[in-house]
Amino acid sequence: MRARRLACGFAAVALAASGGCGGDSGGQAPGKAARTAVPRPRLPAAQASRELARAMASGDCRALFDVALHSTKRNADLSRRSAPPSREECANLAAFARNFRGFRADGPTRVFGTAAVTDGHVRATPVAAVLVLDLDGRWKSAVLSGSYPQAGSRAPAGNAFDANVARFVRAARADDCNEVFRLLALDSEVHTRTGGTRGPLCASLRKRPRDPRSFFTRLKADPAAKPFPLGKTAEFAFYGLALKTGVYYTLFATRQPARVPVTPAHVRDAVYNWYLARE
């Protein structure tokens, strides 16, 4: 029986959280061009998970900023300037650390190209830390999730991760808001920011074409780009997306908890977010 999801990480609190591929690919292996396009981390993912635990214990904003705030999730101006953490970001990071006080990265780490999973605990509760690579080559926390151990697990039979992630990329490229809404996880960072309803999400998508760094804008400029699988666990799936300009995204998908009903409006295996690893 699946453990209860504790929280989605820094983004939920903020209301705006060694290389090589491995694990259950759940699909056909990417071609040579896609594999060589995968960015490389500066440090092992297991070391980053231990740094995350230390930063959360200290509550120090700068230490948390280095491991718990991916640049993709920052204000666009702050991210563009590689600015130090703002006062608001420090407040949100402090809340994130309090929410997961006592986190220990005491389990194994499994790397999937530009994503990784470390099993750990918050007190006696099993927690999986999902890390994704950032533009600076450092691993950053994407999610801390109450889960049974993930590092040695395999994807459930009959999962729809590959198909749904491919559909999501096509829908994002086409500005198909209804389909984007259906394929996003209910606890995704996008839904957190837009209130989990279709109207605000669609309004947000209509504004994005004016942003040249937008995921949606960049997809339109490269109609041939397709996601390729990096690996899966029992609850998570990871994909790379390499654009012809050299831009690279990591897509992170999650299996919705059993308590979340599968309806025509939402799918079980859904996209959580996308993260820049190179631009």
Side-chain angles (χ1 to χ4, degrees):
M1 181 173 164
R2 194 173 180 275
R4 179 178 61 88
R5 180 72 59 87
L6 287 180
C8 299
F10 170 70
V13 177
L15 298 179
S18 153
C21 298
D24 176 13
S25 68
Q28 192 168 7
K32 182 178 179 181
R35 286 199 301 271
T36 57
V38 176
R40 305 286 294 183
R42 288 169 49 187
L43 298 170
Q47 180 177 335
S49 295
R50 294 191 294 270
E51 290 179 0
L52 175 64
R54 288 194 293 268
M56 293 176 71
S58 73
D60 178 73
C61 178
R62 186 69 214 201
L64 284 163
F65 176 77
D66 287 342
V67 292
L69 182 55
H70 197 283
S71 62
T72 302
K73 301 300 105 194
R74 304 190 73 196
N75 171 281
D77 179 59
L78 294 175
S79 175
R80 190 177 295 110
R81 294 186 289 111
S82 299
S86 67
R87 181 177 300 179
E88 181 182 8
E89 286 173 335
C90 284
N92 291 329
L93 287 165
F96 169 56
R98 287 194 300 271
N99 196 38
F100 291 96
R101 190 183 305 278
F103 169 67
R104 307 187 312 279
D106 54 4
T109 295
R110 188 174 176 190
V111 177
F112 305 91
T114 52
V117 175
T118 294
D119 290 330
H121 290 85
V122 172
R123 295 175 289 279
T125 302
V127 170
V130 175
L131 306 175
V132 288
L133 204 61
D134 205 344
L135 292 169
D136 59 3
R138 294 178 60 95
W139 295 102
K140 306 291 175 67
S141 170
V143 162
L144 289 181
S145 175
S147 308
Y148 287 116
Q150 295 294 306
S153 67
R154 297 184 66 83
N159 72 83
F161 280 121
D162 291 353
N164 287 345
V165 169
R167 290 185 184 109
F168 175 81
V169 169
R170 291 196 296 268
R173 182 179 281 126
D175 282 335
D176 184 344
C177 179
N178 288 337
E179 186 72 345
V180 167
F181 181 84
R182 188 179 77 88
L183 295 165
L184 278 172
L186 287 175
D187 58 357
S188 72
E189 295 178 352
V190 176
H191 278 327
T192 298
R193 291 194 301 272
T194 58
T197 55
R198 186 180 284 105
L201 171 64
C202 292
S204 174
L205 292 186
R206 284 194 294 272
K207 295 177 182 176
R208 288 184 181 275
R210 295 195 291 269
D211 179 4
R213 297 178 79 227
S214 161
F215 175 72
F216 298 84
T217 302
R218 284 170 164 168
L219 277 177
K220 289 184 182 66
D222 191 351
K226 297 179 181 179
F228 55 87
L230 297 173
K232 300 184 180 77
T233 71
E235 297 180 20
F236 308 132
F238 307 102
Y239 298 81
L241 182 65
L243 305 184
K244 62 184 179 182
T245 57
V247 169
Y248 179 100
Y249 288 94
T250 305
L251 278 72
F252 168 32
T254 67
R255 169 152 282 210
Q256 303 291 276
R259 58 181 168 76
V260 176
V262 175
T263 71
H266 292 288
V267 296
R268 174 73 69 205
D269 300 324
V271 173
Y272 179 76
N273 212 348
W274 52 93
Y275 302 86
L276 269 171
R278 183 176 60 222
E279 72 173 357

